[in-house]
Amino acid sequence: MKTRLFALAIAVLAALAWAKDEPKPPVDPDAEAQRLLAEKERQKGVARFGPDPAFLVFPRPLERKETPKELLTEEVQAMIAKALAFLARTQDADGGWTDKQWPSNTGVAGLCALAFMAEGSQPKVGVYGSNIDRAMEFLLKNAQSGGYIAGKGSNAYGPMYEHAFSTLALLMAQGDMPWRPQTKDVLDKAVQAILNAQKLDGGWRYEFGNQGHSDMSVTANVIWVLRMAKKNGYTVDSTKIKKGVKFIEECSYPDGTFRYRKWGVHAEPSLGGIGIMAMASDGALDHKLIPRARDRIAYDYRRYTVDDLRQRNYIVYQCFYASLAMYAVGDEYWIPFYRKAVKLLKAIQKPDGEFEDEHGNNIYSTAMAVMILQAPLGYMPIYER
Amino acid sequence: MKPSLLTHDALVMFLVILGLGLVAFYSLLSRRESKMQRRLLPWQVLLMRAMRVGVAVLVLLALARPAISLVRTEERVPVVALVLDESTSMSFPEARENPLAQNRPLERRQRFHTAQEVVMKIQDRLALTHRVKLYAFSDALKLYKEIPLRESDDAPALSQNEIFPEEFKPTGEYSNVGDALTDTLRELSNDRISGIVLLTDGRETGGAKIADVAQVLETGKIPVHSVATGSEFPLRDLRIDEVIVDAEASLGDVASFRLKITNQIANPLETTLTLYENEKKVSTKTLRLPRGTSFVAIGAVMETEGLREFRLSLPKQPDEVNVENNEQVVHVEVVKRGLRVLLISSTPSREYFYLVPALLRDPILDLRCFLQTADVDYTQQGRSNLERLPKTTQDWDKYDVVILYDVDPNGLESSMIAGLEATVSNGAGLLVFGGFNHGTARLIQVHAAKMRGLLPVEIDKNQVLDWEKAWNKPFKVRRTPAGKVHPITLASTNEKFNEKIWENFPEFYWVHPVKGVKTKAVTLLERDGPREEGGGEPLVAIHRYGRGAVLYSAINGMWRWRFPAESYDYDRFWSGAIRYLGQTRLSGTQQNVLLQTDRRTYAPGEEVQITLRLMDPALQSQIEGQQLYADVMLPSKDLQKVPLKPEVAGAPTYRGSYRPREVGSMLLHCKQAAPNADSEAKPLFDVKHNFHVRMESLEDRDTSANLEGLQALSEQTGGTYWDHKNMQDVATLVDKIPSEPQVLSKEVQIEVWDGTLFLVLFLLLVSAEWSLRKWWGLL
């Protein structure tokens, strides 16, 4: 025992000595200016240029760090490769995907296309360029005359979720897909359909129509998509977004948690991330609820074990929104979150690369999981800094 | 004693003649006296003759100057020379590790005090067995003191004050160590030198080289015992050698102060650099400096217009010799200037998503965007909303840099392109992306007249984009030789860091086809790989267009550079490129010329090497064949022209040299107009650079001790070597110096004739002979 302890002590000392003597990487003399400007920008916070709060500019990094490289370990890369391969081989002939509950669902197809875009592919360009292109064809084929993009496998409650994800995927591909000139028209109508579907309480719900009560999850998703539409050159009435954000605020508790419905009581842990994204969509990253929601997510992923988190409903779905939010609030929160998320997703991933939810759906969840894993690449504008 | 008769060859003849004369005289005398001599008895005659012969012999002996030569030998006490350096460098602090210095009070820790202590430690014992001569030297050697021989241990030794009075201080301006040793040999040429004890820091400022004198000493078998004061490191000093900062800075931008710092304190030294303005702390930076020279940067965001004074300060270190050089004051003129940038893009592509925030983050770029596919009532992005595109040249002239990102050529009227061409020609920058949606070929098809001339590349206007195929094979990109040094593709001025950043440059899948580059354009990035697979295809190229510049990128996926450093490298690249393209508007010249000197400070008479480097080969081709000059403005405001010549024919580097004759701040100025340009035209470049000329003490130039040189001297001559590592045993040096006496041989000559006895004998014989002749009646 003594010998082992002694050997351990020697090993620790040697490791310390090695760490001390390890040559440091060269220091960039030009980095000083970047650091100073970054510090100044951080003092000011997220900057808004022009009259529209959609166009946020996040402060630049304080220093040049290759943290993304460190986060994308070989193990993570293998997880990503398997998941993307799974999505590629499960794509239907018509360009869509068939999830257990949502066959040929446009929302699922939109998410899959976004997952491939997060890898760096674009329509017809890159490893998964053809997959994206076929997915876009699928989405455009499912564009309905009323403006919404939804097919036969839509949610029984209404197609707003799939419409939002489809619109988002088309928005992300629009600028790199000149051979589909109809995209602009489809998106024009899609955005208009969302705006027309705003309910009187300020939010959105599954169905298109402004009657009834909204829910926080759909509303937050829609606001987020509207913001991306604004960045793509679509005119979106800012008062509509403000009303939507107000609805989100009404669904919040002061501790940064959110209720699914305005009159509800139970706070859903899955809604923290999308709550932050919704508030950021109105250019309010300094909103008083954001630090609380952020800390709540950070606490959850610090406090609970992987097994605890796996027990939650739609854990990949909530992890996806949490990842968008934590990425935006900075490395201090993002890095520990990402590491825990990797552990969580590793526990969920099956040998063939898929991530299955508690209802047996394995496409949308795989798409969301692989977007979370690929976030360090920084190739997806929905992950914003 | 060794007697010997002295004879002189020259006298032989003279003596023979004299002898013959005497014989003749006495023969004549004998003949005259022969009758009278008949009365004398034979013994009387014989006596007379004997006496006369005796006189003659004595005379001959006197004339021959006979002498006896004797060789005398005697034993003398040997000499030891203590050769003490009294140059000002000896007043520098002693090495902190020196055990002798550690035991002395702080005010007595100079190298000179160490030398004195060593002298005191060895002189009392040496004086028992040697004649001790203490010499002092700086530019010349002088006998400072002879330490009297002590008869016994009981005899009192000289005290410290008797040898080194308080007023004896090191004041010499030179350290001619080699000369001092040579002079010591000359001074003691008649003495047996048991050894020379050399007390110095060994840092020579002139005279004979120690290594050369060591050979002489080795031949003469004279051991030199070196007592080295000081340490192998320069004096404990932390100093700011120079601060490089642009004379002008933009309001809201960072003014970067680049410092050359010399650390002669410790390895490494942890310290803090502070930037003050009006005694108010603006910025601090923790430094970890290796021993020697380092380059560090500190900056401040310029938030107030006007001339501002900054003080850069490093804290005083314990035992630091000079704290005045821990600070420097510089002035920066802060002006409100920025670059107005217009980005026109057909669609919101991925590059557009990342390029907009990258340019918005730059505080001196006033970005306005125009998305051609946006809704009619859309609020365009940027610092302010742009409702319509500029039409006239006056409209375009409001922008310093224009970016055409895969624009829809039908959305731009011909008059717009004409206005754009005029504004670029007038000094604005243009960045054109060959994109996926419309492509450059269509742009040329629609606006051939102006666009073809504007672009630095040749595009086949008939090669329209093929949207049927998929691009799933990645290719790598490499920098061309010009790209490796061009400001746009220089990610960092630190070579290692630059390479590290470019190692992470991503792979791409799609590139806009480029037929070739124009003659005077410069390719910065090209496709990697063998030529048959498209290797060498130009991807990013730049050329000068009138007074402006045009950059073309056939890559539309630069956003892939966001990995692995997120937006850091990507933002800096585009920010740098836009600043470069707008430089003409900012300062009236392109930032593609570097005017430098090999150092920033010089002593009068030293050669200042001037280098003018043209970063843009396109510019080089414009001035080819012209004679370039750099004007040196002296402190007296006089101008001197220095011709600059190409390093080799056609090279982008021009060199010249200048020897300053006066001290002060000098300003180098190099300006060149385009060939055949009218006098009103702006120059192609107009660059300035300053350097300083100041008096430098030779003693201050290198404050480290020459331990290696002194050790080599001792080893070569058979002496011992002492420095701060073994100085505690320096008293044993006495045991290494032999004390055998000096044996002196002296030859003495005693002249036999030159004495009383000889004189008396001569007088006796002469007077006796005369008296006898008188007595015997011969007279």
Side-chain angles (χ1 to χ4, degrees), chain A residues 83-343:
Chain A
L84 290 173
F86 173 78
L87 290 178
R89 73 171 172 266
T90 53
Q91 189 171 19
D92 296 335
D94 62 357
W97 275 266
T98 299
D99 227 341
K100 188 180 175 188
Q101 287 180 292
W102 302 295
S104 273
N105 184 288
T106 54
V108 173
L111 285 169
C112 290
L114 288 169
F116 290 132
M117 289 183 213
E119 182 271 341
S121 293
Q122 296 165 280
K124 289 195 176 182
V125 176
V127 181
Y128 300 101
S130 298
N131 300 88
I132 297 173
D133 188 47
R134 285 165 57 209
M136 292 299 121
E137 189 181 1
F138 173 79
L139 294 179
L140 291 171
K141 264 191 218 165
N142 281 287
Q144 308 298 322
S145 56
Y148 56 90
I149 306 165
K152 56 185 178 182
S154 293
N155 196 311
Y157 295 114
M160 189 58 87
Y161 263 126
E162 35 273 69
H163 176 73
F165 288 132
S166 305
T167 306
L168 185 63
L170 284 169
L171 285 169
M172 291 295 104
Q174 181 199 352
D176 301 314
M177 204 166 50
W179 54 91
R180 299 193 196 287
Q182 74 274 34
T183 311
K184 167 74 176 153
D185 288 340
V186 169
L187 281 170
D188 268 334
K189 289 176 185 169
V191 172
Q192 206 53 48
I194 293 175
L195 294 172
N196 292 340
Q198 188 170 29
K199 300 194 181 301
L200 298 175
D201 61 6
W204 281 266
R205 186 74 172 134
Y206 290 92
E207 73 281 4
F208 283 82
N210 52 16
Q211 298 298 313
H213 295 287
S214 308
D215 78 59
M216 189 274 183
S217 177
V218 173
T219 303
N221 256 304
V222 165
I223 294 173
W224 178 42
V225 173
L226 286 178
R227 176 160 175 252
M228 297 313 290
K230 273 210 246 186
K231 294 180 81 169
N232 270 43
Y234 295 89
T235 303
V236 176
D237 185 354
S238 291
T239 56
K240 295 217 173 235
I241 290 184
K242 283 196 187 302
K243 278 171 72 179
V245 171
K246 191 166 179 294
F247 174 80
I248 300 288
E249 286 170 350
E250 286 167 357
C251 292
S252 69
Y253 280 124
D255 67 349
T257 54
F258 296 88
R259 289 161 291 173
Y260 185 67
R261 306 300 285 265
K262 199 161 72 174
W263 63 81
V265 178
H266 177 62
E268 292 286 344
S270 60
L271 299 175
I274 191 66
I276 292 176
M277 295 308 296
M279 285 179 280
S281 296
D282 192 33
L285 257 187
D286 53 351
H287 195 289
K288 64 180 179 186
L289 280 174
I290 288 180
R292 293 171 194 167
R294 175 199 69 200
D295 293 346
R296 180 74 204 182
I297 297 169
Y299 171 80
D300 270 3
Y301 280 79
R302 191 174 60 242
R303 164 71 179 81
Y304 295 105
T305 63
V306 166
D307 287 338
D308 290 339
L309 293 168
R310 282 188 72 181
Q311 300 306 314
R312 295 183 177 179
N313 285 334
Y314 301 110
I315 181 62
V316 176
Y317 174 85
Q318 66 169 275
C319 187
F320 170 64
Y321 286 113
S323 76
L324 290 164
M326 298 306 260
Y327 187 85
V329 294
D331 273 350
E332 185 187 351
Y333 299 94
W334 162 248
I335 292 171
F337 168 84
Y338 181 81
R339 290 198 164 125
K340 188 65 171 279
V342 167
K343 285 180 187 169

Side-chain angles (χ1 to χ4, degrees), chain B residues 438-457:
Chain B
H438 301 281
T440 319
R442 278 198 63 210
L443 186 63
I444 292 173
Q445 281 173 6
V446 179
H447 302 289
K450 298 292 182 186
M451 284 312 300
R452 197 179 277 283
L454 273 168
L455 292 176
V457 291

Side-chain angles (χ1 to χ4, degrees), chain A residues 26-37 40-41 49-52 55 57-69 72 117 120-127 130 171-172 174-179 184 188 228 230-235 327 331 376-381 383 385, chain B residues 252-254 256 258 283-285 288 297-301 303 347-350 352-354 357 360-363 371 373-375 377-379 381-383 385 436-437 467-472 491-494 496-497 500-501 504 506 509-510 559-569 572:
Chain A
V27 177
D28 181 8
D30 307 315
E32 182 71 12
Q34 296 296 313
R35 187 182 62 79
L36 284 164
L37 290 171
K40 194 182 165 194
E41 287 166 9
F49 294 97
D52 199 315
F55 309 123
V57 176
F58 287 62
R60 73 187 70 204
L62 271 173
E63 55 184 330
R64 187 182 187 280
K65 285 199 288 193
E66 296 191 356
T67 312
K69 215 177 201 174
L72 282 177
M117 289 183 213
S121 293
Q122 296 165 280
K124 289 195 176 182
V125 176
V127 181
S130 298
L171 285 169
M172 291 295 104
Q174 181 199 352
D176 301 314
M177 204 166 50
W179 54 91
K184 167 74 176 153
D188 268 334
M228 297 313 290
K230 273 210 246 186
K231 294 180 81 169
N232 270 43
Y234 295 89
T235 303
Y327 187 85
D331 273 350
L377 282 171
Y379 289 167
M380 195 62 193
Y383 279 92
R385 277 196 176 169
Chain B
D253 198 12
V254 171
S256 193
R258 291 172 188 229
S283 180
T284 58
K285 189 170 190 180
R288 188 178 161 85
I298 192 170
V301 180
E303 290 174 307
T347 57
S349 66
R350 192 92 61 104
Y352 178 82
F353 270 117
Y354 290 118
L360 282 173
R361 282 192 190 107
D362 192 322
L371 203 52
T373 54
D375 290 344
D377 54 348
Y378 180 64
T379 306
Q381 297 189 45
R383 287 183 188 259
N385 184 28
F436 202 46
N437 285 275
W467 290 330
E468 294 303 316
K469 61 187 269 192
W471 294 271
N472 54 12
S492 170
T493 49
N494 178 301
K496 279 185 186 171
F497 210 83
K500 186 176 159 55
I501 291 170
N504 291 307
Y509 291 87
W510 183 86
W559 50 270
R560 289 174 192 276
W561 207 3
R562 288 173 47 80
F563 182 81
E566 292 184 24
S567 59
Y568 200 88
D569 298 334
R572 281 178 67 187

Side-chain angles (χ1 to χ4, degrees), chain B residues 96 113 130 231 360 366 458 535 553 605 742 757 778:
Chain B
R96 283 157 73 90
H113 294 134
H130 295 79
S231 81
L360 282 173
D366 178 6
E458 300 285 1
S553 173
Q742 180 182 12
L757 181 65
L778 295 179

